[in-house]
Amino acid sequence: MNESISNDVERFDAIVIGAGVAGLYFHYRLRKLGLSVRGFEAGSGVGGTWYWNRYPGARFDSESYSYGYSFSQEILDEWQWSEHFSGQPENERYLNFVADKFDLRRDIHFNARVASAVFDSVNRIWRVETESGERASARFLIQATGVLSAPYIPTIEGADHYRGETWHTSTWPRRAVDLSDKRVGVIGTGATAVQMITEISKNIGDLTVFQRTPNYCKPLFNSKITPEEQINIKASYPEMFARCNSTFGGFLHDFDERKVFDVSAEERTAFYEKTWNEKGFAFWLGCFSDILTDVAANETVAEFVRKKIRERVNDPEVAELLAPKCHPFGTKRQPMESGYYEAYNRENVHLIDLHKTPIERFTEKGLQTTDKEYEFDIVIYATGFDAVTGALTRIDIRGENGAVLKDRWHESPSAYLGMCTVGFPNMFITGGPHNSSSFCNIPRCLEQNVEWITDCIAYMQAHGHTRIEANQDAEDAWTDFVLKSADETLLTKVDNWFMGSNIPGKKRVFLNYVGGVPLFRERCDESAANGYAGFTLA
Ligand code: NA7
């Protein structure tokens, strides 16, 4: 973008990309600082994840009351969650309620997908342009683009020739979709597919699921919140949020200090049975402390889950296909289900093992595997996301000396404290690589990210700084710490979005952060308390 064009570009203190959980809170906080803000959002409304992911069955896997914002007592007082694990429509309504309450839409341009962001080092500003050519510039560029927001659709030969409809779960049509007389194919069996298959299987013509890797799914045990529970929830918000800030993953659940083989086999099974019957992630994140580090320990819990699966699926062959054997339990974000396995007991639901009969190509009528042709009216991609980095690398982001973020992160994505990366001054990232929010009860970590970043901006203003950049040595040390702590777990031994290895050609490297939420907060606070140690402010 050249200077002459940029002269008529509107100038702001900050540009916020994204209007989901983090983006909305940024608007609230930056406005309180008295900053002028322009928001750009690709969707036509607020909500981010909860705007896009409107597939049937989409709902929280965190307890609703632990997911909502904690920063405003008014929100906590006025909003009532109706279910322990609220569904997408209510979640989207909630974020709209927050946007209305604080008049947050006023600075946001919708249907505005950012195409490029270029740092002008002379003026120390970012120049941003949307796909439709709208331009703006600002001192600070804030990426609130989400952890799981860049949909991944695999390349399958012949896709152009297929005459039926296709869509990705995250772009489920906004119109009403009636599948009652449709032949539907679903590719993928991750957490999204598990929720969706359960729901659509209840009223569908015929459903064929193409599975590459089965998952260890656990019952969610969702229910309506009773009036008594509502009173208790409202009364215990302070303790609940304090607990979330103290647990490993920012959830209400935390690991049991004991190790698997500290207890007898009977005690172990009783413990598994108890946590299995509790809500949400109790079974995964409330399990023995060594299940994510010790293969033998992990196998005890994995076998417990396989047994549960076998008990619920009528056809033993299908049950075996659904019982994971090739990766340890809990090394992928655990899908929560509400009748997933029973879906396969329906006569019109079929499971195809892609290891045995891979998809070869699309035909005009459907999908051809090495075994046969399946005819479909609709094929749904439940194939996940180019997670953590994808939303950022899909934007042409150029920092100091024309450095391209996509190239810079090609070999090894890195960001100091997961929030700033060398060579990209005045750019703050939430939900990016090596940030706590990627392995977290996401809003708990995003709230911390937003507060830390806006405090940092306030500090810069108070001290007359116009430029901040992460230091190379601080970023290297952080990257090293994150990768080493991940390597001590089983999480790096599997292939999934945590490792970027779900995307062909993407470098296999740990993208998340598993040092625990309390330690992350501590490290961020430490840096801030020391005048933003690890950063250069000018
Ligand atoms: P996931 O967890 O990445 O799941 C994607 C699914 O799609 C998974 O079963 C993949 O199999 C499958 N997949 C991906 N590409 C292909 C191809 N080419 N062929 C067949 N199957 C394929 O995404 P989700 O949306 O379910 O969940 C993402 C997160 O959202 C989740 O972690 C929760 O935090 C919420 P694979 O396992 O790679 O063999």
Side-chain angles (χ1 to χ4, degrees):
M1 204 182 292
N2 64 41
E3 210 43 49
S4 62
I5 294 172
S6 68
N7 284 341
D8 9 284
V9 164
E10 238 187 316
R11 171 83 187 269
F12 299 90
D13 293 317
I15 290 174
V16 177
I17 309 180
V21 171
L24 288 178
Y25 190 30
F26 270 119
H27 281 277
Y28 175 87
R29 294 269 303 189
L30 291 167
R31 201 183 283 169
K32 284 224 162 223
L33 290 179
L35 268 59
S36 60
V37 187
R38 161 65 62 240
F40 290 116
E41 163 57 52
S44 62
V46 301
T49 290
W50 301 108
Y51 166 90
W52 292 103
N53 288 274
R54 50 187 64 246
Y55 60 83
R59 65 175 62 250
F60 289 151
D61 51 16
S62 319
E63 284 75 358
S64 313
Y65 26 90
S66 79
Y67 188 100
Y69 292 110
S70 69
F71 72 87
S72 156
Q73 191 57 44
E74 279 175 77
I75 298 178
L76 295 173
D77 290 342
E78 289 170 28
W79 182 263
Q80 310 238 58
W81 294 105
S82 69
E83 293 176 89
H84 285 276
F85 300 89
S86 160
Q88 180 274 334
E90 184 170 332
N91 307 344
E92 191 184 10
R93 270 200 307 280
Y94 170 73
L95 290 161
N96 275 282
F97 159 78
V98 173
D100 286 340
K101 177 151 193 64
F102 299 117
D103 187 21
L104 300 178
R105 282 191 208 83
R106 152 179 119 201
D107 298 323
I108 305 173
H109 286 186
F110 293 96
N111 301 306
R113 187 178 287 282
V114 171
S116 67
V118 179
F119 187 64
D120 166 349
S121 26
V122 176
N123 296 299
R124 297 184 172 175
I125 55 168
W126 281 92
R127 300 179 190 281
V128 169
E129 184 164 351
T130 66
E131 284 180 354
S132 65
E134 186 184 350
R135 298 186 182 110
S137 67
R139 171 81 65 223
F140 299 106
L141 175 64
I142 293 178
Q143 305 284 1
T145 41
V147 179
L148 294 150
S149 51
Y152 165 62
I153 294 185
T155 306
I156 300 177
E157 193 192 318
D160 291 348
H161 302 304
Y162 173 56
R163 291 203 302 240
E165 281 192 88
T166 58
W167 61 72
H168 187 274
T169 46
S170 72
T171 51
W172 190 277
R174 295 178 75 81
R175 63 182 153 87
V177 175
D178 178 8
L179 301 177
S180 60
D181 60 349
K182 297 286 190 287
R183 299 159 304 167
V184 178
V186 171
I187 305 176
T189 49
T192 297
V194 166
Q195 290 186 329
M196 182 193 64
I197 288 164
T198 308
E199 207 50 40
I200 63 175
S201 67
K202 293 174 184 167
N203 186 18
I204 200 161
D206 199 80
L207 173 62
T208 304
V209 178
F210 295 91
Q211 172 183 274
R212 198 161 64 181
T213 312
N215 272 298
Y216 298 92
C217 313
K218 165 183 180 302
L220 178 64
F221 294 122
N222 186 28
S223 59
K224 293 260 181 244
I225 294 174
T226 65
E228 298 74 50
E229 285 173 331
Q230 196 70 259
I231 291 167
N232 284 337
I233 288 166
K234 296 247 178 197
S236 57
Y237 270 130
E239 296 82 57
M240 207 150 52
F241 290 125
R243 172 154 177 82
C244 290
N245 287 343
S246 74
T247 60
F248 181 81
F251 292 90
L252 290 171
H253 313 281
D254 209 4
F255 289 102
D256 189 295
E257 280 178 7
R258 295 170 299 167
K259 293 185 171 172
V260 165
F261 297 111
D262 286 348
V263 301
S264 68
E266 293 72 34
E267 215 178 318
R268 200 154 54 229
T269 309
F271 178 71
Y272 290 157
E273 200 63 58
K274 174 182 159 291
T275 49
W276 182 263
N277 287 300
E278 290 173 10
K279 289 186 189 303
F281 283 142
F283 184 74
W284 176 35
L285 298 177
C287 204
F288 293 112
S289 58
D290 56 344
I291 59 148
L292 294 181
T293 50
D294 179 333
V295 177
N298 188 287
E299 180 54 24
T300 65
V301 63
E303 189 49 31
F304 179 90
V305 182
R306 289 182 204 119
K307 193 161 162 278
K308 290 285 184 197
I309 296 171
R310 290 178 188 121
E311 283 167 9
R312 290 170 58 185
V313 181
N314 295 343
D315 181 333
E317 267 184 46
V318 176
E320 262 341 286
L321 272 183
L322 289 167
K325 289 158 203 103
C326 294
H327 65 280
F329 166 80
T331 50
K332 302 182 181 219
R333 188 153 164 152
Q334 186 185 32
M336 306 302 298
E337 57 86 26
S338 308
Y340 176 63
Y341 292 111
E342 284 73 14
Y344 294 95
N345 294 336
R346 295 172 187 267
E347 282 192 358
N348 59 345
V349 178
H350 323 283
L351 183 65
I352 308 301
D353 178 6
L354 288 180
H355 287 296
K356 212 158 128 199
T357 58
I359 294 169
E360 287 187 322
R361 61 191 159 83
F362 267 102
T363 64
E364 282 190 357
K365 293 180 180 166
L367 285 167
Q368 174 76 49
T369 67
T370 50
D371 176 43
K372 62 183 253 201
E373 181 183 17
Y374 295 85
E375 295 187 7
F376 297 122
D377 302 303
I378 301 164
V379 172
I380 300 169
Y381 292 101
T383 41
F385 300 87
D386 183 354
V388 185
T389 54
L392 295 165
T393 54
R394 288 179 189 190
I395 301 173
D396 183 9
I397 300 175
R398 290 165 194 260
E400 196 79 278
N401 303 319
V404 178
L405 187 73
K406 189 177 174 182
D407 298 343
R408 164 90 161 48
W409 279 358
H410 183 68
E411 276 308 301
S412 177
S414 59
Y416 178 44
L417 299 175
M419 289 194 267
C420 286
T421 188
V422 176
F424 296 81
N426 294 359
M427 179 174 90
F428 292 101
I429 308 166
T430 58
H434 303 163
N435 184 304
S436 61
S437 59
S438 53
F439 193 87
C440 189
N441 182 6
I442 290 183
R444 295 283 60 78
C445 287
L446 288 180
E447 242 182 11
Q448 181 269 349
N449 280 196
V450 175
E451 287 163 9
W452 190 92
I453 290 168
T454 48
D455 284 350
C456 176
I457 291 175
Y459 176 93
M460 287 178 68
Q461 291 211 306
H463 291 80
H465 297 305
T466 53
R467 189 183 190 282
I468 181 169
E469 187 181 356
N471 296 341
Q472 190 69 58
D473 55 346
E475 184 162 318
D476 290 347
W478 179 252
T479 307
D480 198 48
F481 162 68
V482 170
L483 296 184
K484 278 198 178 124
S485 46
D487 248 342
E488 286 165 15
T489 72
L490 302 174
L491 299 175
T492 54
K493 320 296 179 279
V494 297
D495 283 319
N496 64 14
W497 64 264
F498 294 0
M499 298 297 298
S501 49
N502 62 324
I503 305 298
K506 191 166 172 176
K507 172 91 174 168
R508 188 178 188 284
V509 60
F510 193 70
L511 295 170
N512 295 6
Y513 161 87
V514 283
V517 168
L519 182 63
F520 184 83
R521 298 179 81 94
E522 209 178 290
R523 295 291 293 269
C524 293
D525 292 347
E526 225 171 72
S527 164
N530 291 300
Y532 294 90
F535 297 90
T536 300
L537 291 97

